[in-house]
Amino acid sequence: MVKKRVINILILMLGLVLLLPGGLAFGAGQTKLPAADARFIKDAAQGNLLELELGKLAAEKAASNQVKEFGRRMEQDHGKALKEIEQLAAGKGVELPKELDAKHKATVNRLAKLSGEKFDREYMQFMINEHKEDVEKFQREAEKAKDPDVKTFASKELPTLKKHLELARTAGQQIGSKR
């Protein structure tokens, strides 16, 4: 009788462990998101890493104080967003990149070779284009994400990205960038 009771308790405990968040035993390491939402999180993290690097670069290399200030803002805002997306990813079992991919490294390297007004124009043009794309991606995800937490994250970040696009356009116009 006691043996049967101990066995039943052990079975119950095992069942509870398997139901815990993170799936301690069998579900560990697996994403809990639809593929499109997981891809969005990874892309957003990569974008934030890029904005951080380029923001630092602009704060150091820009000729215009407005571009330097814009770079500092990118560093600050995208640093905050990166921390938030890291928390979201951890809760959803999505492994994020720790460094820039080859495409984004090439962008940083290309801009790092520039200086003065040429840097300012190229950087601001890139920021305008990048933020246009980001606004579209985050808008789409805010409307169509399957996971409610991903949808909330995208919706929450969208006004900041729209503000960045507006600031980039204003700074770009003032320094003679094309758009």
Side-chain angles (χ1 to χ4, degrees):
M1 177 92 166
V2 171
K3 225 180 194 183
K4 187 175 184 181
R5 193 174 204 184
V6 168
I7 290 172
N8 285 339
I9 290 172
L10 288 173
I11 290 171
L12 179 63
M13 288 172 60
L14 177 62
L16 289 174
V17 165
L18 293 175
L19 293 176
L20 287 174
L24 290 177
F26 295 107
Q30 293 179 348
T31 182
K32 303 171 192 172
L33 292 176
D37 289 354
R39 189 171 40 258
F40 169 78
I41 287 177
K42 289 178 182 180
D43 289 348
Q46 194 63 221
N48 281 304
L49 286 170
L50 176 64
E51 296 284 347
L52 274 168
E53 286 299 312
L54 292 178
K56 289 176 191 175
L57 200 59
E60 294 170 14
K61 294 190 69 119
S64 160
N65 283 334
Q66 189 171 11
V67 175
K68 284 181 185 274
E69 202 52 46
F70 181 85
R72 286 187 201 98
R73 172 118 186 224
M74 294 305 98
E75 192 176 349
Q76 180 182 7
D77 289 356
H78 286 283
K80 181 181 170 216
L82 183 59
K83 286 181 179 148
E84 290 176 21
I85 205 152
E86 286 170 344
Q87 290 175 343
L88 176 62
K92 301 295 180 179
V94 175
E95 192 172 330
L96 296 179
K98 300 290 184 216
E99 60 183 40
L100 291 173
D101 61 20
K103 174 186 166 191
H104 291 103
K105 280 181 187 175
T107 299
V108 172
N109 291 338
R110 179 180 63 82
L111 289 171
K113 292 175 185 171
L114 303 175
S115 60
E117 292 176 4
K118 176 104 172 126
F119 171 85
D120 290 2
R121 282 190 304 274
E122 293 289 324
Y123 171 69
M124 292 315 304
Q125 186 59 50
F126 184 80
M127 287 293 96
I128 292 167
N129 293 337
E130 188 73 10
H131 282 92
K132 276 187 204 174
E133 289 178 24
D134 289 346
V135 166
E136 290 172 11
K137 288 177 191 174
F138 275 72
Q139 183 71 53
R140 189 170 44 250
E141 199 68 13
E143 294 169 2
K144 297 184 180 194
K146 302 282 188 256
D147 184 89
D149 295 330
V150 174
K151 188 178 266 199
T152 298
F153 172 78
S155 297
K156 183 177 161 277
E157 290 300 313
L158 192 55
T160 302
L161 292 170
K162 286 179 178 179
K163 181 66 176 175
H164 289 174
L165 177 56
E166 179 186 320
L167 292 170
R169 284 180 170 150
T170 300
Q173 286 172 348
Q174 290 182 356
I175 61 156
S177 201
K178 295 173 192 161
R179 295 181 197 176

